[in-house]
Amino acid sequence: MVFWGSSLFFKFNPNRIYQPGPSKFWRRRRILRMSAHHFGRRRNCYRLALRSVQKALVYSTKARKLRCNDLLKLNGQRLASASEELGTNIRVLRMGLHHANVCLDNHMLADLSIWEPRTFQALSNFAWNNYTSQGLGDIHDLGSPPEGVILRGYKRQ
Amino acid sequence: MSSFRRAQQWATFSRVWHLIDLKWQNPYESAILIKKYLTGLWKPIFHPLNNCGDHVVVINSKEIALPGDEWYRRAYFHHRTYAGAKSWTLAWELHEADDTLIVQKAVYFALDKNLLRRQHMARLHIFPDEKIPPGIAANITNQIRPLRPVPTKYEEIPKEKQAQFPQLFDFPKDYVQGSNLWGKPDPERKAQPIRYPYKPFGHEP
């Protein structure tokens, strides 16, 4: 049975005098596998490959945070435009759902607005009515909320 | 997938044509609004890399309004890449040479600086007045509400109504009524001609 996976990178050579860790070949092989998709001499020359691989790992570490930020912005933008299409805004939608303990995040709501527009419209109408009935914030610009929504227990007495 | 659903999906990826009337609108404020439709920001399927922008038809670009004395303060820089060939054209001069350029540049500045920028600009159609070619007018399906109401000029009000206004004070003797030269540093300066496409005269090489 032959393992061609990452176990080879830690292969111990028993013929060598005491030298801990994998042999020089496999140590280099580990870096060169990671630079396999790089361009030019950075792909095959070890000295250059090492530098570019280390930089690439730094980039990917930073990108984890940046990707989260980008997705947050994108979902916020999508949700804002989806709620503006229906005549409300994202603030009314978020607060209306928040006060009814509807725990859907921006990502899920944005997906609903794309793939299930009627469900999203129902949620949006409910949030708008809920927001209005509780007398929250400044909603005079939006006008009266859409009819046909029954609020049980949310209406302020 | 039913035939209705399929048509719905086609509508999602089609390009809508919007109309906006820029009469008495600030082009730099309106550019942010136009950007929303040009880049497709108003759609829930928006992504910065998917090319989902719409067409925007701008009319009455001749009658835009810049705030304050910005007509005489805002300068458009241009360099023709020859030594000493740099030039600064004031907004009122540029507007006299070409009625559409200020709107075009305002939208161009408002758009994000990426590879789609020129494609978005290609979907912007600017017309100095209300005349639109029938080929473009046939496509328009939506009108964007302008940001500000269009004010009525005192001269446009009929004489009978003007007479009904109470006169609260008398103007001073040296007051020039109806002057459009407010804030103009040199009232006698005339607009310099520019080349089209926008190549202002500077020092020739």
Side-chain angles (χ1 to χ4, degrees):
Chain A
M1 198 173 172
V2 183
F3 291 105
W4 289 107
S6 58
S7 61
L8 285 172
F9 299 145
F10 306 103
K11 197 173 182 182
F12 178 69
N13 184 358
N15 295 332
R16 282 182 296 164
I17 310 169
Y18 177 69
Q19 207 174 355
S23 68
K24 190 178 177 183
F25 174 79
W26 289 111
R27 208 165 56 231
R28 297 194 159 194
R29 187 82 191 126
R30 182 167 146 258
I31 299 296
L32 291 171
R33 286 301 294 165
M34 284 197 272
S35 72
H37 63 289
H38 290 191
F39 181 78
R41 287 201 297 155
R42 282 178 294 155
R43 176 192 163 99
N44 289 327
C45 300
Y46 179 72
R47 271 167 73 107
L48 304 178
L50 182 65
R51 264 184 245 157
S52 70
V53 162
Q54 282 174 345
K55 192 67 189 172
L57 290 175
V58 168
Y59 280 140
S60 70
T61 309
K62 286 180 182 170
R64 269 179 240 148
K65 186 77 184 164
L66 293 176
R67 186 170 62 237
C68 288
N69 292 347
D70 286 356
L71 283 175
L72 272 176
K73 267 188 220 164
L74 178 66
N75 286 323
Q77 172 64 48
R78 283 178 164 181
L79 197 54
S81 54
S83 47
E84 270 171 31
E85 268 190 334
L86 299 176
T88 57
N89 58 47
I90 186 170
R91 191 184 141 72
V92 168
L93 178 70
R94 293 295 331 174
M95 293 302 286
L97 293 180
H98 171 71
H99 283 276
N101 293 330
V102 178
C103 300
L104 292 172
D105 61 349
N106 278 4
H107 180 218
M108 206 44 66
L109 285 170
D111 272 2
L112 281 179
S113 71
I114 298 167
W115 301 109
E116 295 195 20
R118 281 162 191 264
T119 313
F120 180 75
Q121 190 175 13
L123 277 171
S124 168
N125 290 353
F126 166 73
W128 192 349
N129 274 280
N130 193 21
Y131 195 79
T132 313
S133 68
Q134 305 208 7
L136 295 166
D138 185 20
I139 46 170
H140 300 299
D141 300 338
L142 286 177
S144 55
E147 292 172 0
V149 178
I150 301 165
L151 299 170
R152 288 205 197 92
Y154 295 124
K155 194 165 261 183
R156 201 172 60 165
Q157 298 301 322
Chain B
M1 189 186 282
S2 67
S3 57
F4 170 70
R5 278 294 210 173
R6 199 174 54 192
Q8 198 180 27
Q9 195 199 17
W10 290 344
T12 308
F13 296 110
S14 67
R15 300 201 189 276
V16 187
W17 289 65
H18 306 273
L19 176 78
I20 184 167
D21 185 358
L22 281 195
K23 188 176 185 182
W24 279 92
Q25 305 295 317
N26 183 352
Y28 284 87
E29 283 178 3
S30 306
I32 297 166
L33 183 68
I34 292 171
K35 175 199 166 186
K36 198 173 113 181
Y37 293 91
L38 267 189
T39 57
L41 272 169
W42 67 286
K43 299 178 182 180
I45 58 162
F46 171 78
H47 188 274
L49 296 179
N50 86 358
N51 199 345
C52 62
D54 293 335
H55 289 262
V56 178
V57 180
V58 173
I59 57 169
N60 282 332
S61 77
K62 193 174 187 175
E63 309 203 26
I64 51 169
L66 287 180
D69 58 348
E70 227 174 86
W71 283 115
Y72 313 110
R73 296 283 175 198
R74 192 180 277 276
Y76 291 88
F77 177 75
H78 186 77
H79 201 300
R80 288 204 291 129
T81 71
Y82 298 113
K86 52 181 171 294
S87 66
W88 287 267
T89 309
L90 296 177
W92 67 275
E93 287 180 298
L94 192 65
H95 197 60
E96 279 194 16
D98 191 329
D99 322 331
T100 60
L101 269 178
I102 287 184
V103 176
Q104 189 188 324
K105 282 176 170 293
V107 177
Y108 188 74
F109 296 153
L111 287 173
D112 289 340
K113 282 74 182 166
N114 53 29
L115 290 175
L116 286 174
R117 198 183 190 186
R118 303 272 172 173
Q119 292 186 39
H120 292 325
M121 284 305 291
R123 297 199 191 96
L124 178 70
H125 314 277
I126 311 171
F127 301 102
D129 44 20
E130 288 174 353
K131 286 177 208 155
I132 311 174
I136 289 179
N139 295 326
I140 294 168
T141 51
N142 182 34
Q143 186 173 9
I144 306 171
R145 188 184 292 277
L147 292 172
R148 294 162 184 267
V150 180
T152 316
K153 279 184 181 176
Y154 183 69
E155 296 84 43
E156 291 168 359
I157 300 172
K159 288 270 169 101
E160 304 89 54
K161 267 204 168 183
Q162 281 184 16
Q164 289 172 10
F165 290 155
Q167 185 147 12
L168 298 178
F169 60 90
D170 295 324
F171 287 109
K173 280 176 187 172
D174 55 347
Y175 183 79
V176 185
Q177 263 192 346
S179 170
N180 57 357
L181 298 175
W182 189 84
K184 193 171 183 180
D186 182 9
E188 286 168 14
R189 182 184 162 84
K190 282 173 186 167
Q192 303 296 311
I194 66 165
R195 291 178 184 177
Y196 191 82
Y198 178 43
K199 279 181 184 170
F201 284 107
H203 300 283
E204 298 295 326

